[in-house]
Amino acid sequence: MSNPTFLIVGASLAGAKAAEELRERGFDGRVVLVGSEPERPYERPPLTKDYLRGESEREKAYVHTADYYAEHEIELITGTTVTAVDLNEAQVTLDEGQTLAYDRLLLTTGAEPRRLSVPGSELAEIYYLRTLADCDALRERLDSAERVAVIGAGWIGSELAASARTMGLDVALIDPLELPNERIFGPEIGEFYRDVHAQHGIELHLGDGLEAFEGDGAVQRVRTSAGKVIECDFAAVGIGVAPRTELARGAGLEIDNGITVDEHLQSAAEGVFAAGDAANAWHPFFQQRIRVEHWANALNQGPAAARAMLGGLAGYERIPYFFSDQYDVGMEYSGYATSWDQVVFRGDRDGGEFVAFWLEGGRVLAGMNVNVWDVNEHVQALIRSREPVDVAELTDVDTPLEALAGERSR
Ligand SMILES: Cc1cc2nc3c(=O)[nH]c(=O)nc-3n(C[C@H](O)[C@H](O)[C@H](O)COP(=O)(O)OP(=O)(O)OC[C@H]3O[C@@H](n4cnc5c(N)ncnc54)[C@H](O)[C@@H]3O)c2cc1C
């Protein structure tokens, strides 16, 4: 390859960090980063938190300074969508019809919000939240409204509800599950977060799905499956995301809950990679494919894909990690647990300062630290050890976690 072109489709966190890594590793060919959004790459977590509440500057959300891309000879093309990938010709088509040839291609096309299709879904004043533009529109509405109905008590819905409440709005939070995030974390953590919302004055409608939005042109109330009518000035929806795979599917790449890639983040088509929310990647530690829809995965998988594009041989096997902030409750979760036989707590669960562990056969599968900090790497070491732990020691705050983790990883 003389002066090769490495093309990255999707100019968000995973894509921007991949471009950065290519330059950091001394790649001196062309790096082209194409994104549909008008913005240069930014991080999304502030969009349910400080930025949404008007507490932080827009500038803080960006992945790099405005000058960074030119300074590093990264050709950033914003406001442009890649509409097709031709694997045989090794080229893509942009939305205005031009083509662009590549030597290596990285797809970081991310995910998009699932949308509701209940009666009334076409009404105005129903907000979804993925982009800075979505966030700006929502923030303006939060500034002028008194009452919002939030549909979905997953992480996005819960953080949005918490921010709206912190800004002084009345908030009704509606979810068909009995407890927030119950399906993923079980009842213990679900109860904890339900109580946090209740203590902050959120009106909870749990175990009750959404039947319809109602109003004259714009939503004025929502109707639940149980027949409750909840008045609101506007509604905000956070019911999960779906990986954005149309481009990869159109190219003939394998899609299975995301773009299927191996541990090097390479698809079955040589030289074509995927990372971030869009990628369902083989995970050597868990011995299965995993798609992770979280910030840290995009942050780390983008650079890992870049190294693989340069011929690096190390597979990506970080333990999945994410964080959430609601009111004064901050948490970090590490691991990957889809079933377990025990959940145990270390610390003050009622006081909201604890580490929860999900165990199977005495082995730690995952851990969540809530308002307890600097324990994450020890939680991850316990997970990696795969050794059974002594639950009495694990839940005893006087037994340092690092000692337990250290013992296990020797
Ligand atoms: C409001 C919000 C709050 C969040 N908070 C947290 C949090 O607290 N903690 C946490 O761990 N995670 C959080 N996340 C999740 C985290 O932001 C995502 O995991 C992360 O953004 C994924 O990055 P990505 O680069 O893979 O994809 P995305 O951020 O989805 O970006 C993909 C980009 O690709 C572009 N694109 C798609 N198709 C094309 C195409 N054909 N041509 C050109 N461009 C294209 C899209 O326009 C988009 O800009 C939050 C997400 C949201 C929306």
Side-chain angles (χ1 to χ4, degrees), residues 263-397:
E263 66 185 275
H264 306 291
L265 308 168
Q266 185 165 216
S267 71
E270 209 190 320
V272 179
F273 298 77
D277 279 17
N280 191 7
W282 180 260
H283 198 293
F285 181 78
F286 296 107
Q287 286 291 297
Q288 60 180 288
R289 276 205 206 95
I290 293 182
R291 191 173 68 78
V292 181
E293 295 167 350
H294 295 299
W295 172 88
N297 183 64
L299 182 79
N300 294 308
Q301 239 182 25
R307 292 190 293 275
M309 291 164 89
L310 293 169
L313 294 176
Y316 183 84
E317 55 176 338
R318 278 179 183 261
I319 302 283
Y321 160 95
F322 74 98
F323 63 94
S324 175
D325 295 311
Q326 298 166 41
Y327 318 100
D328 51 356
V329 181
M331 79 87 184
E332 297 174 295
Y333 176 94
S334 295
Y336 182 73
T338 51
S339 63
W340 52 87
D341 54 31
Q342 203 179 2
V343 178
V344 299
F345 287 84
R346 172 188 174 95
D348 182 4
R349 181 182 165 189
D350 295 336
E353 284 183 22
F354 61 84
V355 188
F357 293 96
W358 285 258
L359 308 175
E360 189 164 68
R363 294 174 176 81
V364 176
L365 301 179
M368 179 187 284
N369 45 300
V370 174
N371 282 354
V372 171
W373 305 109
D374 303 324
V375 294
N376 193 254
E377 63 182 279
H378 310 309
V379 173
Q380 297 211 2
L382 282 165
I383 297 169
R384 282 203 181 278
S385 79
R386 290 198 171 105
E387 293 283 329
V389 289
D390 181 331
V391 169
E393 282 184 331
L394 187 66
T395 54
D396 172 15
V397 286

Side-chain angles (χ1 to χ4, degrees), residues 76 83 89 95 101 120 187 224 245 259 266 351 355:
L76 173 63
T83 54
E89 297 294 324
D95 50 10
T224 71
T245 53
I259 305 166
Q266 185 165 216
V355 188

Side-chain angles (χ1 to χ4, degrees), residues 46-341:
L47 311 191
T48 40
K49 308 179 186 71
D50 45 347
Y51 182 75
L52 178 65
R53 295 192 298 269
E55 294 167 8
S56 69
E57 296 299 319
R58 192 181 191 84
E59 200 55 30
K60 227 186 107 192
Y62 291 107
V63 180
H64 298 108
T65 60
D67 298 337
Y68 176 87
Y69 300 95
E71 279 169 2
H72 292 80
E73 293 182 33
I74 294 166
E75 297 169 46
L76 173 63
I77 307 175
T78 55
T80 301
T81 297
V82 172
T83 54
V85 177
D86 184 334
L87 295 177
N88 292 327
E89 297 294 324
Q91 66 178 26
V92 303
T93 306
L94 308 183
D95 50 10
E96 285 180 357
Q98 328 78 302
T99 56
L100 198 56
Y102 62 80
D103 295 282
R104 301 258 187 285
L105 175 67
L106 171 60
L107 300 174
T108 49
T109 47
E112 60 198 327
R114 293 185 192 279
R115 302 187 86 84
L116 282 164
S117 57
V118 298
S121 296
E122 72 293 347
L123 290 172
E125 298 292 338
I126 301 172
Y127 292 77
Y128 288 81
L129 179 53
R130 183 74 191 176
T131 65
L132 257 177
D134 295 339
C135 184
D136 288 338
L138 186 57
R139 179 167 153 188
E140 213 178 295
R141 203 61 191 95
L142 286 166
D143 279 338
S144 60
E146 288 176 5
R147 189 171 158 76
V148 54
V150 178
I151 318 300
W155 295 114
I156 298 286
S158 289
E159 289 191 355
L160 210 159
S163 283
R165 189 73 194 122
T166 303
M167 291 170 77
L169 278 81
D170 288 336
V171 180
L173 182 58
I174 300 148
D175 194 293
L177 295 180
E178 294 290 341
L179 295 165
N181 282 315
E182 185 179 11
R183 220 173 269 144
I184 308 172
F185 303 104
E188 298 86 350
I189 290 297
E191 281 165 12
F192 171 76
Y193 274 101
R194 175 200 59 198
D195 295 347
V196 167
H197 286 306
Q199 283 153 14
H200 285 83
I202 298 267
E203 185 186 304
L204 290 163
H205 300 275
L206 299 174
D208 194 3
L210 181 79
E211 194 69 19
F213 293 106
E214 295 177 352
D216 186 11
V219 67
Q220 291 165 312
R221 71 197 83 85
V222 301
R223 187 176 293 277
T224 71
S225 311
K228 278 189 246 165
V229 174
I230 300 162
E231 303 289 330
C232 59
D233 297 328
F234 71 102
V237 182
I239 55 164
V241 295
R244 222 186 257 110
T245 53
E246 312 86 313
L247 188 65
R249 191 188 298 279
L253 295 174
E254 186 186 303
I255 307 297
D256 175 16
N257 178 33
I259 305 166
T260 300
V261 290
D262 64 16
E263 66 185 275
H264 306 291
L265 308 168
Q266 185 165 216
S267 71
E270 209 190 320
V272 179
F273 298 77
D277 279 17
N280 191 7
W282 180 260
H283 198 293
F285 181 78
F286 296 107
Q287 286 291 297
Q288 60 180 288
R289 276 205 206 95
I290 293 182
R291 191 173 68 78
V292 181
E293 295 167 350
H294 295 299
W295 172 88
N297 183 64
L299 182 79
N300 294 308
Q301 239 182 25
R307 292 190 293 275
M309 291 164 89
L310 293 169
L313 294 176
Y316 183 84
E317 55 176 338
R318 278 179 183 261
I319 302 283
Y321 160 95
F322 74 98
F323 63 94
S324 175
D325 295 311
Q326 298 166 41
Y327 318 100
D328 51 356
V329 181
M331 79 87 184
E332 297 174 295
Y333 176 94
S334 295
Y336 182 73
T338 51
S339 63
W340 52 87
D341 54 31

